[in-house]
Amino acid sequence: MSEVAIRTSKTLTPADADAEVVVQGWAQDVRNLGGISFLQLRDRYGIIQITAPRKKTAPEIMEVMASLPRESVVRVIGTAKASAQAKSGVEVLPTRMEVISAAAAPLPMGVIDKVNVEPDTRFNHRFMDLRKPELRAVFEIKSTVLNLIDMYLVDNGFVEVFTPKLVASGAEGGATLFELRYFDKCAYLAQSPQLYKQMLMSTGMDRVFEIGPAFRAEPSDTVRHVSEFISFDGEMAFIESQRDVQKMIEGCTQSVIKGVIEQCDHQLKVLGADVELPKAPYPIIPYEEAVEMVKAEGMKIALGDDLGTEGEKLLGEIMSRQGNDMYWIEEYPEEAKPFYIMEKDGTPYSYSFDLDYKGQEISSGGQREHRYDRLVARMEKKGLDPDSFTFYLEAFKFGMPPHGGWGLGVERFIQKMLDLPNIREAILFPRDRIRLIP
Ligand code: AMO
């Protein structure tokens, strides 16, 4: 007895002609035309056409096909036949058909229907939404991005670490902290690994990175804010200046985008996305200059003000006209930056930077204040109580090298790389002010 070969839409080819094969997937579409029935069977990679001519097919299979609800999971055993009509050049004539899991009707939303479905309906039934190949492609690309980040950082001597997500104090301002009960204490969900990655700089582990969830109680309902995102953080000790940090991010983002272009050809096609490698080195725009640039384009802004979404977008347009998709904005006013950023003495500025991609901030970082007294003074200046940060400050008292680092929002990076209209398209189950389910 010949063995039945398991095939997917990727591995079934005209070379299988006349072989007995087994294929399985979701019944995307069934057409019963009297003398012949067609089933479009969808799997991870695409579509397999099942063709059942009445004269050559067992009556019980014709019966199953006549009443098969769309999106049911089906296993088909049959004979592969070369076919000029089937897109892949091959179809399967069924000899057995098993409905493994019948789908209820009506479906909460269509998978192939071209009607515009409201985003809320899509996200409410995300498991069904994600049956669309172009939506799943984003997550295959995201997985490649994370893999490429890992490889680049490990190649550059970084150690991957995991810091607590249940924490006693926040690093990025009280307004966006999620508070929760932790036994008999109050705790928070980590907004970033900031305090921990810095503490690690005093251990001798001089290059660390972390890719993990970060939580922000963001009240703003925008296309680039969510309350849970994946943060890619790095911290490096013994830096000469923030330039060392910028060089690392630049190398990493270049390597990742290049890798996506090389490895995700299929996914990019399915998505209809055209990814271009941003021109490097990325131009560096001092904050003061950035303000002048957007002012010259008519924006009302004064030195010291936040560029805001409007300023970032406008700057993105100016930079895009010059052929630059990625660029740095650096040396922000120290007042606008968190306590851990080093001040640029004798100026109102700081050793800080943002990395913007097509008019949107995707990363920020800088050189840290590693001198204990200066750090405590900066905390006090920001209205923070150093006593609530004792565990962190202690690491600066007993030998802390100069250091710097960054945080990069993985979904914002992917959003811009793939030109997705909303950050939520790069998150399987997004969380925001109104969404906690599914
Ligand atoms: P920052 O607060 O700028 O810096 O955050 C770093 C990056 O994280 C992403 N990000 C978000 N993405 C989606 N939704 C949000 N609500 C959200 N908030 C932030 C952005 C942003 O650039 N500790 C510092 C980093 C450092 O200095 O090392 C920090 O967290 O892409």
Side-chain angles (χ1 to χ4, degrees):
M1 207 177 81
S2 67
E3 214 168 282
V4 185
I6 297 175
R7 290 286 183 267
T8 64
S9 59
K10 192 172 170 181
T11 58
L12 182 74
T13 68
D16 288 308
D18 301 325
E20 203 179 12
V21 295
V22 52
V23 292
Q24 45 200 349
W26 287 259
Q28 177 162 293
D29 198 19
V30 195
R31 271 176 301 145
N32 295 294
L33 307 176
I36 192 162
S37 293
F38 297 101
L39 161 62
Q40 305 281 312
L41 194 68
R42 185 189 65 246
D43 65 10
R44 173 174 165 189
Y45 308 100
I47 297 288
I48 301 167
Q49 177 161 299
I50 311 296
T51 303
R54 184 169 289 281
K55 281 189 189 148
K56 293 186 188 164
T57 311
E60 56 276 17
I61 293 183
M62 296 311 285
E63 226 166 87
V64 169
M65 285 182 84
S67 59
L68 185 60
R70 268 190 186 191
E71 294 302 319
S72 299
V73 174
V74 182
R75 179 187 291 133
V76 177
I77 299 177
T79 314
K81 278 270 174 290
S83 154
Q85 281 84 41
K87 246 191 185 167
S88 62
V90 59
E91 60 189 3
V92 174
L93 272 58
T95 50
R96 244 175 71 195
M97 187 172 287
E98 192 186 333
V99 181
I100 299 172
S101 171
L107 299 171
M109 58 175 282
V111 175
I112 49 168
D113 311 324
K114 289 278 175 261
V115 285
N116 258 347
V117 184
E118 286 292 315
D120 257 354
T121 309
R122 289 183 40 218
F123 284 109
N124 283 343
H125 308 286
R126 191 66 161 149
F127 71 94
M128 186 65 80
D129 193 33
L130 288 167
R131 291 186 185 186
K132 296 173 193 148
E134 68 277 19
L135 299 200
R136 268 182 290 120
V138 173
F139 298 96
E140 294 191 354
I141 295 169
K142 187 174 180 179
S143 166
T144 305
V145 165
L146 296 172
N147 221 333
L148 289 162
I149 291 178
D150 252 12
M151 285 198 310
Y152 188 86
L153 274 276
V154 170
D155 276 355
N156 279 281
F158 281 73
V159 176
E160 183 164 18
V161 298
F162 298 93
T163 63
K165 301 303 155 213
L166 289 167
V167 297
S169 35
E172 317 297 343
T176 62
L177 275 172
F178 277 117
E179 196 178 308
L180 57 96
R181 219 173 22 252
Y182 187 71
F183 303 103
D184 59 346
K185 292 191 185 68
C186 158
Y188 307 100
L189 290 177
Q191 296 161 304
S192 94
Q194 187 63 37
L195 306 181
Y196 293 92
K197 61 180 184 173
Q198 283 196 263
M199 285 160 71
L200 289 175
M201 293 301 99
S202 81
T203 67
M205 232 190 265
D206 59 10
R207 287 182 166 201
V208 301
F209 78 104
E210 175 166 5
I211 300 175
F215 305 91
R216 309 265 172 118
E218 293 280 0
S220 33
D221 187 16
T222 77
V223 296
R224 59 189 196 146
H225 286 97
V226 281
S227 27
E228 181 175 351
F229 63 97
I230 301 295
S231 186
F232 158 38
D233 279 83
E235 203 66 28
M236 306 159 63
F238 299 106
I239 57 166
E240 297 285 330
S241 75
Q242 62 174 16
R243 284 281 178 276
D244 296 345
V245 182
Q246 287 167 291
K247 249 185 237 160
M248 195 57 64
I249 310 172
E250 186 161 312
C252 182
T253 48
Q254 283 279 306
S255 155
V256 168
I257 298 173
K258 216 183 274 173
V260 166
I261 295 169
E262 284 164 11
Q263 297 173 29
C264 297
D265 188 47
H266 171 71
Q267 289 82 355
L268 292 173
K269 275 203 186 100
V270 169
L271 195 58
D274 188 18
V275 175
E276 268 183 47
L277 187 65
K279 215 158 65 181
Y282 307 154
I284 297 172
I285 312 167
Y287 161 82
E288 267 189 13
E289 207 176 290
V291 169
E292 291 309 318
M293 284 165 78
V294 295
K295 238 180 165 174
E297 296 272 322
M299 186 177 158
K300 285 201 171 51
I301 185 171
L303 267 189
D305 288 354
D306 184 13
L307 281 173
T309 313
E310 187 195 345
E312 276 180 33
K313 258 188 154 169
L314 198 51
L315 195 62
E317 285 162 22
I318 302 168
M319 295 312 284
S320 145
R321 290 203 291 267
Q322 301 171 7
N324 290 303
D325 279 349
M326 275 214 203
Y327 42 90
W328 303 100
I329 306 165
E330 65 167 25
E331 299 196 352
Y332 280 88
E334 64 79 14
E335 233 177 50
K337 284 290 164 182
F339 67 84
Y340 49 77
I341 287 286
M342 189 185 268
E343 294 178 10
K344 188 173 176 185
D345 284 344
T347 77
Y349 300 114
S350 63
Y351 291 113
S352 56
F353 58 75
D354 277 4
L355 177 62
D356 280 30
Y357 191 7
K358 301 179 192 171
Q360 179 171 290
E361 173 201 322
I362 62 161
S363 175
S364 72
Q367 174 153 10
R368 319 303 187 185
E369 181 51 75
H370 63 284
R371 297 159 294 187
Y372 178 83
D373 293 339
R374 298 279 302 255
L375 185 57
V376 172
R378 233 181 111 67
M379 272 185 171
E380 283 166 345
K381 189 158 137 190
K382 299 263 164 199
L384 295 167
D385 176 9
D387 286 346
S388 3
F389 292 88
T390 310
F391 69 94
Y392 163 75
L393 286 171
E394 204 188 11
F396 290 76
K397 253 188 181 171
F398 304 98
M400 173 64 93
H403 61 279
W406 72 89
L408 181 147
V410 170
E411 289 91 357
R412 280 201 190 173
F413 180 32
I414 289 170
Q415 180 192 358
K416 285 290 146 180
M417 189 193 306
L418 304 178
D419 290 321
L420 303 173
N422 193 315
I423 190 171
R424 290 162 183 76
E425 300 296 342
I427 303 175
L428 286 171
F429 299 101
R431 292 286 178 264
D432 57 33
R433 197 168 48 82
I434 34 185
R435 183 168 292 282
L436 187 60
I437 290 173

